[in-house]
């Protein structure tokens, strides 16, 4: 500052103290605002985590525990793609099989043996007064496999029923499925109660997380205190006014003019810097 007088220097120091106080206040407020945002973000993450736990529990309970022949066993019900039946303690769960599978003879010796056996059976049935007719005493010479087997599962509760038709060659798998359904039905009351308790507990956890805003409240309180802490700003503003009132008018005018020149030089420097940077960047594109 050219030709600076003691009065102008005092004015500059007083104004700088006031600006420093304003900057310090703004910084404290900004930091307090950041703290509030951080706590709100953490709170939102905690709530989201609790909500995910609930969604995961519901999703897990809705997944089948076993599948057979397109029929799915769930913790509390069975679905076959067309209908469903709720599991119930004491419900009927049974498997039924009927019919036979045989292959007709294809050689002369086999045909003769089968014919003889059929004749004996027919004679015995006739003696006993049975009605021998149809294919029972007739030999099929085409070598075709005849399969009249049936395999089906019956599920019946107090108010619903389901029949599942199965592949006769998968009787073992069908029996395994029946065993699993029976065990699930026996445990369904306990399983459902436990699931409902888990869901309620997870819902309570969500509400607790939502209500847990203590850290946010503390951060907001500190923000309010930072916003209201303007004592230094007010004190430095008064000090500046006192110094300015004691400064001769010619020194005030000189001080203000010097401030304008400094501001102009600052703006001009910024403009020049921007032009230089733009020229350098443009130079790279034309290389």
């Amino acid at each position: 500052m050219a030709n600076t007088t003691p009065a102008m220097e005092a004015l500059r120091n007083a104004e700088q103290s006031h600006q420093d106080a304003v900057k310090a206040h703004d910084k404290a407020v900004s930091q307090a605002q950041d703290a509030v945002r951080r706590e709100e973000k953490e709170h939102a993450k905690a709530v989201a985590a609790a909500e995910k736990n609930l969604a995961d529990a519901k999703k897990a309970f809705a997944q089948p525990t076993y599948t057979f022949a397109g029929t799915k066993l769930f913790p509390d019900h069975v679905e076959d793609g067309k209908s469903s039946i709720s599991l119930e303690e004491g419900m009927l769960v049974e498997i039924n099989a009927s019919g036979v599978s045989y292959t007709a003879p294809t050689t002369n010796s086999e045909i003769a043996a089968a014919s003889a056996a059929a004749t004996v059976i027919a004679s015995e049935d006739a003696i006993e007064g049975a009605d021998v007719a149809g294919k029972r005493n007739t030999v099929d010479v085409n070598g075709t496999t005849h399969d009249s087997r049936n395999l089906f599962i019956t599920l019946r509760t107090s108010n619903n029923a389901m029949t599942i038709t199965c592949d006769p060659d998968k009787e073992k798998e069908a029996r395994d499925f029946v065993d699993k359904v029976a065990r699930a039905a026996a445990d369904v009351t306990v399983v459902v109660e436990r699931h409902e308790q888990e869901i309620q507990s997870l819902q309570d956890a969500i509400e607790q997380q939502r209500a847990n805003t203590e850290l946010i409240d503390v951060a907001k309180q500190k923000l309010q205190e930072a916003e209201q802490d303007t004592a230094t700003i007010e004190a430095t503003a008064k000090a500046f006014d006192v110094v300015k009132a004691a400064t001769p008018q010619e020194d005030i005018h000189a001080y203000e003019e010097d401030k304008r020149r400094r501001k102009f030089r600052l703006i001009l420097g910024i403009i020049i810097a921007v032009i230089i940077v733009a020229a350098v960047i443009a130079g790279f594109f034309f290389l």
Side-chain angles (χ1 to χ4, degrees):
M1 185 182 296
N3 301 320
T4 301
T5 66
M8 292 171 63
E9 185 65 22
L11 188 62
R12 186 190 69 79
N13 291 336
E15 185 175 33
Q16 186 62 53
S17 294
H18 178 63
Q19 291 175 348
D20 290 344
V22 172
K23 290 179 181 179
H25 175 266
D26 291 345
K27 182 179 180 180
V29 170
S30 178
Q31 290 176 338
Q33 289 172 335
D34 290 342
V36 171
R37 283 190 288 268
R38 283 196 303 271
E39 295 302 338
E40 288 177 338
K41 184 177 180 180
E42 290 301 317
H43 178 263
K45 286 172 60 177
V47 172
E51 291 175 338
K52 185 178 183 300
N53 290 338
L54 176 61
D56 289 346
K58 290 182 177 180
K59 182 178 180 180
F61 194 77
Q63 297 300 311
T65 59
Y66 193 78
T67 301
F68 169 70
T71 302
K72 298 178 180 180
L73 170 63
F74 293 84
D76 63 345
H77 71 284
V78 175
E79 291 182 6
D80 65 357
K82 297 180 180 179
S83 60
S84 66
I85 182 171
S86 298
L87 296 179
E88 182 181 278
E89 285 189 71
M91 67 182 290
L92 174 68
V93 182
E94 65 179 11
I95 183 168
N96 294 281
S98 64
V100 296
S101 175
Y102 70 94
T103 301
T106 58
T107 66
N108 291 331
S109 59
E110 291 174 340
I111 292 172
S115 298
T119 301
V120 171
I121 292 173
S123 299
E124 292 176 349
D125 287 345
I127 291 172
E128 295 175 1
D131 181 13
V132 180
K135 294 183 178 180
R136 188 172 185 186
N137 58 353
T138 302
V139 177
D140 188 335
V141 296
N142 294 323
T144 303
T145 298
H146 297 267
D147 192 345
S148 61
R149 293 175 301 161
N150 292 300
L151 183 66
F152 57 91
I153 297 170
T154 300
L155 308 178
R156 184 177 294 112
T157 65
S158 58
N159 59 4
N160 201 0
M162 175 184 289
T163 300
I164 306 166
T165 302
C166 310
D167 182 348
D169 290 328
K170 295 184 178 180
E171 184 173 347
K172 180 181 181 303
E173 292 88 340
R175 293 186 182 280
D176 289 342
F177 180 70
V178 165
D179 289 342
K180 292 182 183 298
V181 173
R183 285 195 293 270
D187 297 337
V188 67
T189 300
V190 174
V191 170
V192 170
E193 288 180 354
R194 186 183 301 126
H195 175 65
E196 290 176 348
Q197 291 172 357
E198 179 186 19
I199 294 301
Q200 185 60 55
S201 176
L202 292 172
Q203 288 174 336
D204 292 343
I206 292 174
E207 295 306 317
Q208 290 173 0
Q209 286 293 352
R210 286 175 177 166
N212 184 18
T213 60
E214 181 179 355
L215 295 179
I216 295 177
D217 296 338
V218 170
K220 286 183 176 180
Q221 178 62 35
K222 290 183 178 180
L223 171 59
Q224 184 178 13
E225 292 173 356
E227 290 172 337
Q228 294 175 349
D229 185 13
T230 59
T232 304
I233 293 176
E234 294 168 0
T236 55
K238 289 179 180 180
F240 175 76
D241 291 340
V242 170
V243 172
K244 188 175 182 179
T247 303
Q249 285 297 317
E250 59 270 21
D251 286 341
I252 293 175
H253 290 318
Y255 176 72
E256 295 295 339
E257 182 62 28
D258 185 71
K259 282 176 59 178
R260 283 191 292 271
R261 285 197 300 268
R262 287 173 177 272
K263 184 176 181 180
F264 174 77
R265 287 196 296 268
L266 177 62
I267 294 174
L268 182 61
I270 293 173
I271 293 174
I272 293 173
V274 170
I275 292 173
I276 293 173
V277 171
V280 172
I281 294 174
F284 279 112
F285 281 104
F286 288 100
L287 287 179

